[in-house]
Amino acid sequence: MLKGEWRDAFPADSLRPRPCGGIPVRSSLALMPDEKKNDTAASRMMRNAGKLSVLTMISRVLGLVREMTKAALLGTGPLSDAFAVSFVIPNFMRRLFAEGSVTVAFIPTFKGYLHANDEKATNEFLSATLTVLTVLVGCVVALGIALAPWIVRAFGSDPAETTVLTRIMFPFLALVSVAALLQGILNSIGVFTPSGIAPILFNVCFIGVPWLIGGLAGNPARAMAVAVVVGGVAQAVCQLPAVLRTGYRFGFMPLGKAFRNPGMRKVMSLVAPTIVGMAAYQINDIVSTALASRAGTGVASSLQYSLRLQELILGVFAVATSTVLLPELADAARKLDWDTFSERLGHAMESMVLATIPVAVFSMITGRDIVTLLFKAREFGDESVRMTASVFFWHQTGLLFIAMNRVIAPAFYARSDTKTPTYAGIISFIVNILVALLLVGLLKGPGIAIALSVASLANTAMLSWALLRSGMHGLKSAFGKTLGYSGKILLYSLVGAAPILLIRPLFLSAFSASRSRLIYAGMPFLAETIVFLALMAGILFLTKDPVAASIVRAFARRKKRK
């Protein structure tokens, strides 16, 4: 196991998995007896989230470099639209089979095997999961490649080029599905570092491969498609050594036996409704892209650039927190410790509020500077900046709701309830499509962005309502505190942003004479960022904000331990 990972993996009184390969697992109490006794589950969760946040932040920064590379080579022209459309299709399937349904169905089931401490049954379950996943995903990849010409006809971009790109990238689904299974194993036992490194390697491949093979691929879009597949290989391979070090030994088994495995049957029963819900949610992307590609050249590309910026912001903390939260909630649910369940969920929701509302307010003010600074180069000109910045503004209005969905959904998955998020996903999909159809003709890209934000709000409201209806002890208080805290942080953010609106014209005019975007866009953005961060930090300090203080304490304890 990676050094230090087992140390934070389990509380003192939890049951730990027994590796099958004879590798000893060190007791967490033996490692740090006094500290473990005094440590709290919430602090441990925050530290794990913090470690993963650092890796995710690196990945998101590299993701920005990836998008900057794509923007410079493709801009927002027809070739860029073709790549955006072709990547949406296998990416949609990836979220169904990999990061979405497999993860949320696999982790709670695998946790049951860890608590049972039966090595043979655990290995058989893992073998069954690998076998079924490989066969199903392999069939989908083969069908996707064969049917690509018919699939891409629903979109308005160049069908010939989009078909080629789609066929190149479809194998990415199989690779990333295996990577998701390995991630599920590691996350279940409290190991998050390899899973954080995997997307970093993907982005490195996406950035480097197009420059290495650009002259051989025919055009930059095809070089990027190859890079996607290479990145998928890297995501799977980098996690395999850590899984092998756990001692679990699994492989392929007869397909019939795999489907008869009781754990596999439970996973399938959980996956089935999850796929429906995830499909409804992810079809939002496909339908939105189809509407955008028909709304005009560059609209689909501007939406994708904006979404990548949004994913960067979410990835700094939201993705990491939700990844760590699911195993924590699954443990509390298995012990029927609903007070702990509600406490951890409430703490995670308040952390999301603190992480997203100030960023959303600030980025809505400085969005044009952000887009100019990151993307304006070569094929990405002033019109591309205008289109992407206008979409980004409206995407940011839904940032909090998307982050909250990623925190609240694990509360259902931890209790093996995949039906409720499914219903919420279907309804939010309907809301998204109706609003998009209503606004796309009038507003084009911004209309589609507004639709996504409205749908995310609807999804958050439905999930919250359903969770409160469960009557679980402590939930009403947790949601009430989160709602009140949201209003307070929104007020703080508006107070911190007000001076930015006043001094922004001065910053822009001071550097407008420069021809370098690092100067005329970067320097005003840097100055505005410093002012806003200083004001927000001062407000949080003066008001003695408890959530900010708990985050600082969690990282301070980790630093002290080191």
Side-chain angles (χ1 to χ4, degrees):
M1 186 60 59
L2 298 179
K3 184 178 179 180
E5 293 285 1
W6 281 105
R7 183 173 300 173
D8 295 328
F10 300 96
D13 59 348
S14 69
L15 295 174
R16 293 176 290 275
R18 182 187 303 165
C20 312
I23 300 175
V25 178
R26 295 173 292 173
S27 167
S28 58
L29 280 176
L31 281 169
M32 309 181 72
D34 295 330
E35 191 168 63
K36 274 292 176 180
K37 291 177 182 178
N38 296 327
D39 200 9
T40 65
S43 296
R44 187 180 60 257
M45 184 181 76
M46 290 300 302
R47 287 196 303 272
N48 282 335
K51 289 191 296 183
L52 191 56
S53 292
V54 173
L55 295 173
T56 307
M57 179 62 180
I58 295 172
S59 170
R60 300 301 179 176
V61 170
L62 289 174
L64 270 184
V65 178
R66 178 189 80 193
E67 294 303 309
M68 292 166 66
T69 302
K70 187 175 77 171
L73 295 177
L74 303 181
T76 54
L79 199 59
S80 178
D81 283 350
F83 182 86
V85 169
S86 60
F87 187 62
V88 160
I89 298 169
N91 200 43
F92 160 72
M93 303 302 296
R94 169 185 67 86
R95 290 174 179 174
L96 290 187
F97 285 93
E99 295 177 359
S101 58
V102 168
T103 300
V104 300
F106 174 81
I107 289 180
T109 306
F110 187 46
K111 277 284 188 180
Y113 281 93
L114 297 183
H115 281 263
N117 208 21
D118 187 330
E119 298 174 3
K120 181 179 178 181
T122 301
N123 283 337
E124 287 182 353
F125 166 65
L126 293 176
S127 296
T129 303
L130 177 64
T131 301
V132 172
L133 180 65
T134 302
V135 171
L136 292 181
V137 173
C139 292
V140 171
V141 169
L143 286 173
I145 293 174
L147 300 177
W150 291 271
I151 295 174
V152 302
R153 286 179 183 175
F155 301 88
S157 58
D158 179 7
E161 186 63 29
T162 305
T163 298
V164 172
L165 296 174
T166 300
R167 283 176 165 168
I168 293 174
M169 285 190 281
F170 239 107
F172 172 68
L173 167 62
L175 297 167
V176 80
S177 296
V178 174
L181 174 60
L182 300 179
Q183 177 180 340
I185 295 172
L186 295 175
N187 289 176
S188 295
I189 59 175
V191 180
F192 300 98
T193 300
S195 304
I197 293 174
I200 294 176
L201 295 179
F202 173 81
N203 287 322
V204 168
C205 293
F206 193 104
I207 295 166
V209 170
W211 298 107
L212 294 175
I213 67 169
L216 304 175
N219 62 55
R222 295 185 184 184
M224 291 177 187
V226 174
V228 168
V229 178
V230 175
V233 174
Q235 281 187 292
V237 170
C238 79
Q239 297 182 89
L240 184 59
V243 172
L244 294 178
R245 289 190 188 103
T246 65
Y248 298 118
R249 296 293 179 261
F250 56 96
F252 295 102
M253 63 168 54
L255 187 59
K257 183 179 179 181
F259 273 109
R260 290 192 299 270
N261 182 273
M264 189 65 244
R265 289 201 301 268
K266 181 178 180 180
V267 168
M268 294 297 291
S269 68
L270 295 174
V271 163
T274 305
I275 284 182
V276 176
M278 290 294 294
Y281 182 79
Q282 298 304 330
I283 287 173
N284 282 336
D285 262 355
I286 291 182
V287 176
S288 297
T289 303
L291 291 173
S293 63
R294 296 177 183 277
T297 300
V299 176
S301 299
S302 64
L303 283 167
Q304 292 303 312
Y305 288 124
S306 175
L307 287 171
R308 295 293 79 76
L309 285 177
Q310 191 175 63
E311 285 296 322
L312 167 70
I313 298 169
L314 289 170
V316 172
F317 202 70
V319 174
T321 298
S322 62
T323 301
V324 175
L325 184 63
L326 178 57
E328 293 277 351
L329 293 181
D331 269 336
R334 184 168 295 278
K335 298 173 184 177
L336 302 180
D337 186 356
W338 302 120
D339 285 331
T340 299
F341 188 100
S342 299
E343 179 186 355
R344 295 180 190 176
L345 178 60
H347 189 78
M349 290 192 297
E350 289 180 342
S351 299
M352 287 302 98
V353 168
L354 180 60
T356 56
I357 289 182
V359 173
V361 171
F362 178 73
S363 58
M364 289 170 72
I365 297 174
T366 60
R368 190 176 185 89
D369 293 339
I370 295 173
V371 173
T372 300
L373 177 63
L374 296 175
F375 296 135
K376 189 176 181 182
R378 296 174 63 175
E379 298 298 321
F380 202 96
D382 290 334
E383 179 61 15
S384 298
V385 170
R386 184 196 65 79
M387 293 174 63
T388 304
S390 63
V391 171
F392 181 62
F393 178 91
W394 292 107
H395 271 151
Q396 290 302 90
T397 61
L399 182 68
L400 171 64
F401 308 119
I402 296 174
M404 293 298 283
N405 291 336
R406 297 189 179 187
V407 170
I408 299 175
F412 293 94
Y413 300 140
R415 299 183 301 153
S416 298
D417 177 5
T418 58
K419 292 182 179 180
T420 302
T422 296
Y423 299 143
I426 292 173
I427 295 174
S428 66
F429 161 70
I430 295 172
V431 171
N432 182 60
I433 299 307
L434 290 177
V435 177
L437 288 172
L438 181 66
L439 298 179
V440 67
L442 180 65
L443 301 177
K444 298 189 181 298
I448 297 174
I450 293 171
L452 178 61
S453 294
V454 172
S456 300
L457 168 60
N459 197 58
T460 301
M462 286 181 288
L463 289 178
S464 301
W465 176 75
L467 202 56
L468 288 171
R469 280 192 64 197
S470 68
M472 190 184 305
H473 188 266
L475 275 183
K476 186 175 181 180
S477 174
F479 274 92
K481 288 175 61 178
T482 301
L483 184 60
Y485 188 66
S486 299
K488 184 171 69 172
I489 294 299
L490 177 59
L491 178 61
Y492 292 169
S493 301
L494 294 175
V495 171
I500 304 297
L501 292 173
L502 297 175
I503 63 177
R504 175 176 164 76
L506 299 177
F507 288 142
L508 292 176
S509 62
F511 299 100
S512 60
S514 176
R515 300 182 62 182
S516 170
R517 78 177 192 275
L518 294 178
I519 302 299
Y520 69 76
M523 294 305 295
F525 176 71
L526 177 61
E528 292 159 0
T529 301
I530 292 173
V531 172
F532 183 76
L533 288 177
L535 289 172
M536 284 301 300
I539 293 171
L540 294 173
F541 176 76
L542 291 175
T543 58
K544 299 181 180 180
D545 184 80
V547 178
S550 68
I551 294 174
V552 171
R553 285 196 300 269
F555 283 98
R557 276 194 293 266
R558 176 171 177 78
K559 183 177 180 181
K560 183 178 179 180
R561 280 196 335 181
K562 287 183 176 181

